Amino acid sequence: AVLVAEGTIISGEYAPGMVADEDMIRRIRQARADENIRALVLRVNSPGGGMLASEAIRSELALLQAAGKPVVVSMGGTAASGGYWISATADRIWASPATVTGSIGVISMVPTFEDSLSELGIGVDGVGTTPLTRGADPLGGLSEPMQDLLQQNTNNAYERFISLVAEGRGLTRAEVQSLAGGQVMTGAEAQEAGLVDEMGHLEDAVVSAARLA
C-alpha cells in the first residue's frame, strides 16, 4: 500500500492540505488489518507540525511494523521536523538529493497580547490561588512558573525526538545531537549523515518495500 502524508501535521480529522493524525491512523490500521497488504510505503511531503500528532502517527506505524509489515518512507520535496519525526523509525528511508529534511528540533509558541493591550491603555488584573493561575493568560502574558513549565515540556519533547532518531537510524545520541538543533539539510547531506538510507523516488521505495515484504 502507498499512503501519502502531504501538508502540515495536525491533530484531528481530515482537512484538505493537512496531515490529520486521526485520518492517518485510521488508514494505517486498515493496512495492518488487510491480509493482502504486506508492506507500506509512506510518501512524506511535509514541513512538520504538531509533536503530539506526529508521535501518534509514528506510533501507529510502529504497530504496523510489529505486525510484521515493513514501512518504507519515500520523501518528496520536504520531510522536515514533524515530517522527519514520522519517518525516523521506518525500516528504510528514501529521499531525492534535493529533499529538504532534518530539522530535528522542537519549538513552542504561545501568542500573548499584553504589550498590544498596553498600547491601547487596557490592563488585566485578578487574584489567583496558585503560581500557575492565569499563568498562560493571552491577555496578561506568561508567568515565570508557566514559562519554566513550557520550557521543560519543550526540552522533554526534544530529547524524545533525538531518542527516536537514534533508535530508528542506528545512531548514537551524540551523533544525532550533532545533527539536531533544527539543522536543515538536503537529502544527499542527510544520506551522508545517516538520516536517510537511499537516494531515489517513489517507484524505488515501492520496489524496496516489495523486497522487504
Side-chain angles (χ1 to χ4, degrees), residues 46 60 82 91 105 110 125 132 137 156 161 165 174:
S46 171
E60 198 63 38
D91 293 283
V110 181
D125 203 353
L132 293 178
D137 183 355
N156 288 338
F161 201 168
V165 175

Side-chain angles (χ1 to χ4, degrees), residues 24 35 57 72 91 122 138 155 160 184 187 189 196:
M24 292 291 293
E35 295 181 356
I57 294 169
V72 175
D91 293 283
I122 300 173
N155 293 345
R160 172 66 172 159
V184 176
E189 292 169 337
V196 166

Side-chain angles (χ1 to χ4, degrees), residues 21-122:
D21 63 350
E22 292 181 20
D23 178 62
M24 292 291 293
I25 288 170
R26 182 169 55 251
R27 295 174 187 274
I28 296 168
R29 286 177 180 171
Q30 289 173 350
R32 178 154 50 102
D34 191 335
E35 295 181 356
N36 293 317
I37 294 175
R38 299 280 302 280
L40 177 72
V41 174
L42 182 67
R43 176 67 170 179
V44 179
N45 191 21
S46 171
M51 185 272 289
L52 292 178
S54 299
E55 174 59 11
I57 294 169
R58 191 210 61 80
S59 294
E60 198 63 38
L61 291 169
L63 291 176
L64 185 71
Q65 292 168 287
K69 298 187 178 185
V71 172
V72 175
V73 165
S74 169
M75 293 181 169
T78 303
S81 192
Y84 192 80
W85 186 302
I86 65 176
S87 306
T89 52
D91 293 283
R92 300 293 287 175
I93 298 178
W94 291 73
S96 71
T99 296
V100 176
T101 188
S103 193
I104 300 168
V106 179
I107 61 170
S108 299
M109 294 187 295
V110 181
T112 62
F113 307 98
E114 67 275 15
D115 292 338
S116 300
L117 292 175
S118 177
E119 288 293 320
L120 299 173
I122 300 173

